[in-house]
Amino acid sequence: MNKTFAVIGLGRFGGSVAQTLDSMGYEVLAVDRNPQRVQDMAQIVTHAIEADSTDEHALKAMGIRNFDVVVIAIGDDIQSSILTTLILKEMGVKKIVVKAVNELHGKVLYKIGADRVVFPERDMGVRLVHNLISPNILDYVELSKDYSIVEILAGDFFKGKTLQELDIRARFGCNVMAIKSGEKFNIAPAATDVIHEGDLLIVIGHNDHLKKLQEQAYGNE
Ligand code: ADP
């Protein structure tokens, strides 16, 4: 059976989470204390309810405990965000994901039992900087402090060569997981597959090794 989701706080972030879940075919309960936000979201998702999430009775009445995941996307009202997390935790919600606006807020959320804390602004900032520093890195996902997945645009260094010729694993210690060529996605690239200019290479590795590959491929562009 499909997972069920509730999203509390329908600002830009929560609204986007709710809308994306809905477009992927999931059932979403959207909650906000602002009637206008609820009305706007009611056109999009399965259920939209006006309620203050710091009101335990209101949360109980909507059966929030039965949802598999509850996303708390309350922005600047830190008090509301913390109280809501605490109430949901005490009610026994299985998985609580909360948006934090800063590190301290995030720390408090973990302490009171949030299962996952996200920092959309901070994370987006980090990704943007990676892209600004190296325009050939189109996207970047941090797996841990040391390991990442990057999307590298294939330029002169790669063009017309096979993975075997490039020998990326032995020379740089990273792995090409997939090659995107136009609309085509090759998710199990063979050693003999030829890379074309403009292809996107999805590469996983240690940050130091990824940096080495990038420097070799693009110098200090
Ligand atoms: P963003 O930065 O993602 O746009 P906002 O701060 O604009 O975030 O949006 C947060 C939303 O959370 C607002 O729509 C606000 O009405 C809602 N919200 C804040 N506190 C509560 C609460 N206690 N109960 C329900 N909704 C709340």
Side-chain angles (χ1 to χ4, degrees), residues 89-203:
K89 187 74 191 170
E90 294 214 321
M91 283 170 79
V93 169
K94 284 192 269 302
K95 184 159 184 185
I96 306 173
V97 181
V98 198
K99 164 185 156 167
V101 293
N102 57 48
E103 296 288 335
L104 193 58
H105 182 198
K107 236 186 215 172
V108 173
L109 292 171
Y110 273 127
K111 279 243 152 81
I112 59 174
D115 298 289
R116 182 164 171 203
V117 177
V118 292
F119 301 83
E121 281 92 356
R122 185 197 69 182
D123 296 349
M124 201 53 222
V126 172
R127 289 171 86 157
L128 176 64
V129 166
H130 276 267
N131 178 249
L132 291 176
I133 293 174
S134 349
N136 297 301
I137 298 289
L138 298 194
D139 207 350
Y140 158 92
V141 179
E142 190 182 75
L143 298 175
S144 72
K145 195 167 74 31
D146 295 325
Y147 292 89
S148 308
I149 297 175
V150 297
E151 204 175 82
I152 301 181
L153 188 65
D156 281 342
F157 177 78
F158 299 98
K159 121 175 147 196
K161 300 204 181 81
T162 62
L163 287 177
Q164 196 164 25
E165 285 165 338
L166 288 165
D167 206 11
I168 289 174
R169 191 177 309 165
R171 283 165 73 196
F172 303 101
C174 358
N175 269 298
V176 177
M177 292 163 41
I179 301 172
K180 193 175 177 207
S181 205
E183 287 302 301
K184 268 198 354 229
F185 231 117
N186 178 358
I187 54 155
T192 50
D193 288 346
V194 178
I195 296 164
H196 303 101
E197 189 164 16
D199 283 358
L200 286 180
L201 308 185
I202 293 83
V203 188

Side-chain angles (χ1 to χ4, degrees), residues 19-134:
Q19 202 164 346
T20 307
L21 283 166
D22 180 80
S23 71
M24 292 175 77
Y26 289 94
E27 200 169 309
V28 184
L29 170 72
V31 182
D32 203 297
R33 65 180 171 194
N34 176 336
Q36 188 57 49
R37 294 243 155 122
V38 175
Q39 209 176 318
D40 293 345
M41 199 42 76
Q43 334 256 343
I44 301 166
V45 304
T46 336
H47 309 285
I49 295 181
E50 181 188 333
D52 186 327
S53 60
T54 59
D55 174 355
E56 196 174 345
H57 299 291
L59 291 176
K60 278 205 173 116
M62 63 182 88
I64 199 114
R65 214 175 81 85
N66 302 319
F67 286 84
D68 294 314
V69 183
V70 180
V71 179
I72 304 173
I74 293 173
D76 296 328
D77 187 348
I78 294 182
Q79 180 170 323
S80 267
S81 151
I82 291 172
L83 280 177
T84 304
T85 307
L86 202 58
I87 293 169
L88 292 178
K89 187 74 191 170
E90 294 214 321
M91 283 170 79
V93 169
K94 284 192 269 302
K95 184 159 184 185
I96 306 173
V97 181
V98 198
K99 164 185 156 167
V101 293
N102 57 48
E103 296 288 335
L104 193 58
H105 182 198
K107 236 186 215 172
V108 173
L109 292 171
Y110 273 127
K111 279 243 152 81
I112 59 174
D115 298 289
R116 182 164 171 203
V117 177
V118 292
F119 301 83
E121 281 92 356
R122 185 197 69 182
D123 296 349
M124 201 53 222
V126 172
R127 289 171 86 157
L128 176 64
V129 166
H130 276 267
N131 178 249
L132 291 176
I133 293 174
S134 349

